[in-house]
Amino acid sequence: PHTLEVKRQRRAQKQVARRNTLELVQPATPEPVEGREHVQVQTELYLEEISDRIIEVDGECQTDDFLDRPPTPLFIPAKTGKDVATQIEGGELFDFDIEVKPILEVLVGKTVEQALLEVMEEEELAQLWSHQRAFAELRNAEFAELQRLEEQDRRIREEKERRRLEHLEKLRKQKETAEKIAARAFAQRYLADLIPSVFNNLHDSGFFYDPIERDIETEFLPWLMLEVEETLQKKVLGRTMLDSLIRTVVEKRLDEFSHPPPSAQTKAPAEEPRETDAAPKMSGEADAADQPVAEE
């Protein structure tokens, strides 16, 4: 049992050493570039399902009653024959100087081989890193060129759009100018006969007048008519008063002649001169009464 246990431990140590050696010998995968990541891919012949949780299965078994007894001791057959011993002197089975050479050669060879593998791995990693740097530089250069081309295309498109808008604006202005010139010519042709007729209508309506004539019509003639009216009113008043005086005088004389005095018959010779005197007086009054009428 002790020998089996030792062999098992040595085998486990060898497996661990072999695993470590394989890990050191196999080159490690370089780190991914920025923006990318490594993905685990199965390269075995038969694919197997990969899951974060290990598949577990529950099983049951029924133990027998006889398993509760102690285990059966190891069978050791009885010794047969005779014991024989042999004396071995020092140096008869093992010579260190001779036996150490292959072991030393193996150790040195493994060490040199491991060192060479590590150097080759480092060189390979350096080459991989250089290839990655060259690829990254090339990709960055292509990306910069792509951006430059995109920017150039954008500028060309913007310039094309601006030229198109300028051309449309130019056509619009030309059309607008042509329409304005046509409208101006039409307006001139239309107003050529319109303006004289408008001025004639306004002149006939009295919007255009002579200031002297307008002043005479609005200031002088009304004042003259007022003065003439006042003069006529004065004349009519004088005529009315003269008519009233004549009427009064006539009425008085008519009244006097219609009622003669009683002493007229007895004193007729003496009163004749009075009648003669009265007659010139009446004639004078008549002349005075008729004078304004004649003047009128």
Side-chain angles (χ1 to χ4, degrees):
H2 181 69
T3 305
L4 293 175
E5 186 66 25
V6 172
K7 289 182 179 181
R8 191 181 297 110
Q9 290 180 359
R10 289 180 179 177
R11 190 181 297 109
Q13 290 177 0
K14 288 181 180 180
Q15 290 179 357
V16 173
R18 188 181 297 107
R19 191 181 300 111
N20 294 333
T21 303
L22 291 175
E23 290 179 358
L24 292 174
V25 170
Q26 292 179 356
T29 304
E31 295 295 328
V33 297
E34 185 179 357
R36 300 186 181 182
E37 60 181 4
H38 290 327
V39 179
Q40 297 292 337
V41 180
Q42 294 185 14
T43 58
E44 288 80 4
L45 183 60
Y46 300 101
L47 299 179
E48 61 180 1
E49 183 180 0
I50 298 175
S51 61
D52 295 339
R53 183 177 178 182
I54 300 174
I55 299 175
E56 297 178 357
V57 180
D58 297 334
E60 297 179 356
C61 63
Q62 180 65 38
T63 58
D64 298 332
D65 295 337
F66 62 86
L67 293 178
D68 293 338
R69 65 182 181 81
T72 303
L74 184 63
F75 173 74
I76 301 175
K79 293 177 64 176
T80 58
K82 296 179 181 179
D83 293 333
V84 178
T86 303
Q87 180 64 34
I88 298 174
E89 300 295 336
E92 291 181 355
L93 297 180
F94 180 75
D95 187 0
F96 179 77
D97 295 334
I98 296 174
E99 298 294 337
V100 80
K101 286 182 179 182
I103 299 174
L104 186 59
E105 288 177 359
V106 171
L107 292 176
V108 173
K110 289 293 184 181
T111 304
V112 173
E113 184 181 1
Q114 184 66 28
L116 291 174
L117 291 175
E118 291 180 359
V119 171
M120 292 174 64
E121 181 182 359
E122 291 177 358
E123 291 180 356
E124 185 178 0
L125 289 175
Q127 291 180 359
L128 290 176
W129 281 113
S130 64
H131 286 303
Q132 287 184 357
R133 284 195 299 270
F135 176 75
E137 291 177 358
L138 181 60
R139 187 169 61 86
N140 293 332
E142 291 179 353
F143 184 72
E145 183 67 17
L146 178 63
Q147 288 183 345
R148 187 184 67 79
L149 294 176
E150 289 179 353
E151 184 66 20
Q152 183 179 1
D153 183 64
R154 184 185 63 81
R155 290 197 301 271
I156 291 173
R157 283 189 284 103
E158 290 180 356
E159 183 67 20
K160 183 178 178 181
E161 184 68 18
R162 187 176 63 82
R163 294 291 180 85
R164 187 180 67 83
L165 294 177
E166 288 181 356
H167 183 66
L168 293 177
E169 184 68 17
K170 183 179 179 180
L171 293 178
R172 186 185 65 80
K173 289 184 178 179
Q174 289 179 356
K175 183 179 179 181
E176 185 178 356
T177 304
E179 291 178 354
K180 287 183 179 179
I181 293 173
R184 185 172 179 273
F186 176 76
Q188 287 180 353
R189 289 196 301 269
Y190 181 75
L191 295 176
D193 299 332
L194 181 63
I195 293 176
S197 62
V198 170
F199 276 100
N200 292 330
N201 292 331
L202 292 176
H203 189 273
D204 295 339
S205 300
F207 288 94
F208 302 104
Y209 55 85
D210 189 2
I212 299 175
E213 183 180 355
R214 185 63 175 271
D215 188 26
I216 291 173
E217 289 179 356
T218 57
E219 299 294 337
F220 179 72
L221 289 179
W223 173 79
L224 182 61
M225 294 301 294
L226 289 175
E227 293 295 331
V228 170
E229 187 176 359
E230 289 179 359
T231 304
L232 291 177
Q233 286 180 358
K234 289 180 181 180
K235 289 183 179 182
V236 170
L237 180 60
R239 186 179 296 176
T240 304
M241 292 178 65
L242 181 61
D243 291 341
S244 65
L245 290 174
I246 293 172
R247 185 186 180 98
T248 303
V249 171
V250 172
E251 287 178 355
K252 285 183 179 182
R253 287 187 178 186
L254 181 62
D255 190 17
E256 288 178 359
F257 286 128
S258 63
H259 299 285
S263 60
Q265 296 179 359
T266 59
K267 295 180 179 181
E271 292 178 355
E272 288 178 358
R274 292 181 181 179
E275 290 178 0
T276 57
D277 295 335
K281 186 177 180 181
M282 291 178 60
S283 62
E285 291 176 359
D287 294 332
D290 293 336
Q291 188 177 1
V293 176
E295 288 178 0
E296 293 176 2

